[in-house]
C-alpha cells in the first residue's frame, strides 16, 4: 500500500517587504541579499494575521476539494505557537468546520516538526487506510530588527492531506534520522524573536544533513544518483545550495554546478520570495518543484528536513502518476503575487507591534483581505473570524 501526500496547498501573508527596501535601510549591497543568501522578498503578516489564519487559509482549499469525512486527525506543526496549552489546530479545526470526532494536536521541534507530523500521519494511515490526516505547518519567522537574521524572515503555512493511494507523492521507507543537542537557534518562552548563532547554525545544518544521509544509507535507502531533485529546508535559498554541495562532497560525488542547479533550481521559487517559513519551508520547496517541473511522474525526490536544536530527517518520495491534475500552481502563484508591497517603515511598525496583555477587549485593526482574520483579543482569548 502506498501512503503519502494526497494534496498540498500553501498560504502566506497579506504584505510583502522586498529586499531592495530592506537594503536601503541596512545599507547592504543588494547582491548580498539577492545572490549571497538568495532572497528577494519576505512575507510580512498583517496585524490581524497569525499562524492560525495562515493555517486555515492553507487548509481550506483542501477541505473544499476532498471534504471533511475521512479526516480524523489534525496535526499542526509550529514554532510560533500562540498559546502554551491550547493547540493552534483547535482554532483551525473550528474555522474549517471539521467534525467533533477529530483528534487535534500541536507538535514542535523548530523547523523540523512538520516532517515528524507527516511521519506520524503516515503511521496512522497505515493503521487505518480509510482515514486521512490533515498535517499543517504554519510559522512566522521573526528575528530582532537590525540583526543579521532579519533578512531571512518570512511567514507561510503549508497544509497536506495525508492518505492511502496519494495523488501527489508516495512517501517511502526508510528515513534517515539525526539528532544533536546544539544551541544554534532557539527562542525562550519569554522572547518574541529567535536567538541565533548564524554561522554556527549553518555548520549545524550541514552536519545534520551529513548525519541524516549517513543513517538513510545505513537503513538501506536509495543511492544519491537515483534522485531527480532535492527539496531542502530553506532558511534562505542559498542554504540549500550549501547543503547539497556539502552532501555531494561528503559522498565523494561530483559537485558539478550545472548538476547542482538541475537538482535544486526548481525548488526555490516560492521560498526566495516568501522567506523562511520555518516548518513550512521544506514543503514550499516541494510545492515549488511540483508546480514548476515539466513532468516528474514516478521520479524519486529527496526531502531533507532540518530543525535547529537539532533534528534532521532525510527521506524520499516518488511522484504519483497523474499528479499534475491535482496541483495548485495558479493558487500558489496568486498567494505570492496578491501580497501588497509595504515600505520599510510600515514593516518596522508591524514588527514592533505587540498584542495587548491586559485582558481587556481589544479589536485588532482590519488589514488582511484573506479568508480568515484575528478579529480581537478579549479576556485573554483570541477571537478569529472567517470572512
Ligand atoms: P551575515 O553575517 O549577515 O551574512 O549572516 P554573511 O556575511 O555571511 O553573507 C552572506 C552571504 O552573502 C555570504 O555568502 C557572502 O559572501 C555573500 P557565503 O560566503 O555564505 O557563500 N555576500 C554577497 N554576495 C554577493 N554580493 C554581495 C555580497 N555580500 C555578501 N555584495 C546569516 C548570514 C545566514 C548567518 C544570517 O542571515 C542569519 O543569522 N540568519 C538566521 C539563521 C539561519 O538562517 N541559519 C541557517 C541554518 S539554521 C536553520 O536552517 C534553522 C532555522 O530555519 C530555524 C529553525 O530550525 O527553526 C534558522
Amino acid at each position: 500500500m502506498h501512503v503519502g501526500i494526497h494534496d498540498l496547498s500553501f498560504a502566506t501573508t497579506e504584505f510583502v517587504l522586498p529586499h531592495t527596501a530592506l537594503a536601503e535601510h541596512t545599507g547592504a549591497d543588494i547582491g548580498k541579499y539577492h545572490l549571497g543568501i538568495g532572497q528577494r522578498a519576505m512575507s510580512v503578516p498583517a496585524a490581524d494575521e497569525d499562524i492560525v489564519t495562515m493555517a486555515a487559509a492553507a487548509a481550506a482549499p483542501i477541505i473544499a476539494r476532498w471534504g471533511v469525512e475521512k479526516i480524523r486527525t489534525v496535526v499542526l506543526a509550529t514554532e510560533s505557537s500562540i498559546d502554551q496549552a491550547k493547540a493552534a489546530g483547535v482554532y483551525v479545526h473550528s474555522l474549517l468546520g471539521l467534525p467533533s470526532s477529530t483528534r487535534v494536536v500541536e507538535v514542535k521541534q523548530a523547523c523540523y516538526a512538520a516532517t515528524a507530523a507527516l511521519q506520524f500521519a503516515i503511521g496512522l494511515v497505515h493503521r487505518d487506510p480509510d482515514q486521512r490526516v490533515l498535517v499543517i505547518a504554519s510559522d512566522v519567522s521573526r528575528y530582532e530588527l537590525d540583526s543579521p537574521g532579519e533578512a531571512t524572515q518570512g511567514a507561510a503555512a503549508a497544509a497536506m492531506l495525508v492518505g492511502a493511494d496519494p495523488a501527489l507523492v508516495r512517501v517511502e521507507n526508510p528515513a534517515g534520522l539525526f539528532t544533536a543537542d546544539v544551541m544554534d537557534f532557539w527562542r525562550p518562552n519569554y522572547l518574541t524573536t529567535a536567538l541565533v548563532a548564524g554561522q554556527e547554525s549553518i555548520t549545524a545544518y550541514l552536519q545534520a544533513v551529513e548525519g541524516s544521509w549517513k543513517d538513510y544509507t545505513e537503513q538501506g535507502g536509495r543511492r544519491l544518483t537515483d534522485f531527480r531533485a532535492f527539496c531542502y529546508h530553506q532558511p534562505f535559498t542559498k542554504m540549500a545550495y550549501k547543503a547539497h554541495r556539502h552532501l555531494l562532497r561528503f559522498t565523494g560525488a561530483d559537485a558539478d554546478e550545472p548538476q547542482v542547479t538541475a537538482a535544486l533550481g526548481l525548488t526555490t521559487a516560492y521560498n526566495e520570495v516568501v522567506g523562511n517559513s520555518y516548518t513550512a519551508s521544506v514543503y514550499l520547496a516541494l510545492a515549488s518543484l511540483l508546480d514548476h517541473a515539466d513532468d516528474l511522474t514516478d521520479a524519486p525526490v529527496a526531502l531533507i528536513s532540518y530543525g535547529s536544536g537539532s533534528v534532521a530527517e532525510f527521506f524520499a518520495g516518488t511522484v504519483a502518476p497523474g499528479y499534475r491534475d491535482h496541483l495548485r500552481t495558479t493558487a500558489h502563484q496568486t498567494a505570492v503575487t496578491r501580497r501588497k508591497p509595504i515600505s520599510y517603515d510600515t514593516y518596522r511598525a508591524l514588527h514592533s507591534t505587540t498584542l495587548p496583555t491586559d485582558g481587556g477587549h481589544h479589536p485588532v485593526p482590519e488589514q488582511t483581505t484573506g479568508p480568515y482574520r484575528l478579529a480581537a483579543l478579549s479576556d485573554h482569548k483570541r477571537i478569529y473570524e472567517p470572512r
Side-chain angles (χ1 to χ4, degrees), residues 164-178:
D165 193 17
L168 295 182
V169 177
R170 301 165 171 171
V171 176
E172 297 179 355
N173 254 339
L177 306 174
F178 180 83

Side-chain angles (χ1 to χ4, degrees), residues 29 31-32 35-37 79 110-112 143 148-149 152 184-185 196 198-199 201-202 205 233 235-236 239 242 276 278 306-308:
D29 184 324
K32 174 173 175 178
L35 303 172
I37 59 170
E79 57 175 296
C111 300
Y112 163 73
Y143 294 93
T152 65
D184 61 327
F185 166 107
V196 63
Q199 299 304 334
S201 73
I202 293 173
Y205 183 128
H233 165 54
F236 50 93
M239 187 68 227
K242 283 180 191 290
N276 192 354
Y278 289 158
Y306 174 75
S308 283

Side-chain angles (χ1 to χ4, degrees), residues 18-31:
H19 276 73
T20 44
L22 182 66
E24 271 176 38
H25 169 79
T26 61
D29 184 324
I30 194 61

Side-chain angles (χ1 to χ4, degrees), residues 68-80:
V68 298
E69 294 75 31
K70 292 185 166 191
I71 299 173
R72 288 180 58 78
T73 305
V74 177
V75 190
L76 192 148
T78 188
E79 57 175 296
S80 343

